[in-house]
Every structure is written in structure tokens, then in C-alpha cells.
Amino acid sequence: MIYVILGFLGLAFGSFINAFVYRLHEKLDEDGNTKKISAKQKKDLSILKGRSICPSCKHVLGASDLVPVFSWLFLHRKCRYCKKPISWQYPAVELITALLFVVSFVVWPGGLDNNWQIMSFITWLVALIGLIALAVYDIKWMLLPNKIIYPFAAFVLVSLVVQMFLGRSIKDLIGIGLALLVTAGVFWVLYVVSKGKWIGGGDVKLGLLTGLLLASLPLAFLYIFLASIFGMIYTLPLLATNRISPKSKIPFGPFLIAGCIAAVLWGQAIINWY
């Protein structure tokens, strides 16, 4: 039963991520700064007050248009009103979020035997929402907005404090500090040395969030290694087929996020195997 509940939650939050990313992009400029928009636009783009609309024709969507995955299928991947295609992004994000929610529960390292571990798992599910939103945003617009990174990082930090009160070992603070030194510190050095040519400032800030989630020095190093491997697997075929050049810019955030997810869920097993 828990798998079904988590699956439905994942679908629902995947739908939320799609709406959140679209509305946030409408409020930010290409540098991630808030644009000047009217009070009506702010209300329409509010994730709490705004109504869901078709990105193409701006028609307000009804409840039957918003059922995760199924509406996309039943409407034959087209808007009910303007008949323009609905991007595969919508069901893909919903399904990926649902899958990660369920898989996280199945393989959650350390178990769920006490209160702080349960709190840690809940925190991870919330953080997944932010990580997936960041990945989608970076893929589409090559930007990792502060308005996603900082609130989720703050939430994870507060949760870690709560977990300490619930019984998590205070010694874990050392692991958290060392993880942050690697995930954010190493990227910051690369950013400064290369003057932003090797890695973006958003990747440095993402390191704050991922470091808090990894909370372990070995996992932090594994995270960087896995992200590099994922990035290489993606870029080498494109380079070999001349679809990109060595000077082409690609978003590294999604690979970092994939590396973080893999390291959190399977990292210790990988380290033990190695």
C-alpha cells in the first residue's frame, strides 16, 4: 500500500514541479533575477493562487486536464482547446518523480527504524522535489535559480537540526561539514580559478544543497565522480558525432543532481562493493 501512496504522491508532486518551473521561469529573467510584472501577473503566476493554463493558448485548464500522465494520454498529447502539442516533459517529470519516491523507500539506506531516520526520509522526498525542479529548469534554460536552491537548502538544514534533537548522532555534523567542503568548496575553487569558464556559479550553490543531503565525505567524493561519469556518457557521443563542439555549453546541473540521487540511495553500497 505504501508503494501506491508514494507513487500517487510522486505523480502529484511531479505535476506540481511542472507548474512550478513554468511559473518561476515566467517571473525570472535569463540571469535568474525577478522581473517587474503586474500585480495581476503575480497572482496568475502564484503557485498557490494562480490557475493552471496551457502554455500555448493561455486557456485556463479544468480538473480533467490536470490528471498526471493520464490527461496527457487521453488528450492524445494535445491541448484540449488550441490542439497544440503538449510536451513530453510533463508526463516524464511526473513518472520520474513517482519512480524516485517509490525507489527511495525501497532502497533507503539505514532503514526507517527511529524518528530521526523517518524525518530524514521525509526530508529527502521534499528535497527530491527541489532537485527535479532544478534539473528541469537547467535543462530548459541553463540556469539553477537561487529561488529554488536556497529555500530547499534552508529546509534541509532545519531538518538536520531537528534530526539531531530526535536522536541523530552529533558526530554526523563533521560529515556534513566535510561534505559541504567538497561539494561547494571544490566547485567554488574551480569557479574562481576558471573565472566561471569551467563551472557555473549555480553549480557552486547547488553544492550547498547536495552537501547537506549527502552528509558524508566519501559520498561527497562519489557524488562528484558519478556526476562526471554521467556527464561524460552524455557528451562523448555528441562530440563524436559533431553534434556539439568542445566549446559548447551544456548544463552540468542535471548530472550533479543525478550523481547526488545515486550517491544518497546507492552510494554506501557502491563504496562497500568497491
Side-chain angles (χ1 to χ4, degrees), residues 251-271:
F252 192 49
F255 304 119
L256 290 170
I257 290 164
C260 176
I261 293 171
V264 168
L265 297 181
W266 296 284
Q268 195 56 55
I270 294 172
I271 292 171

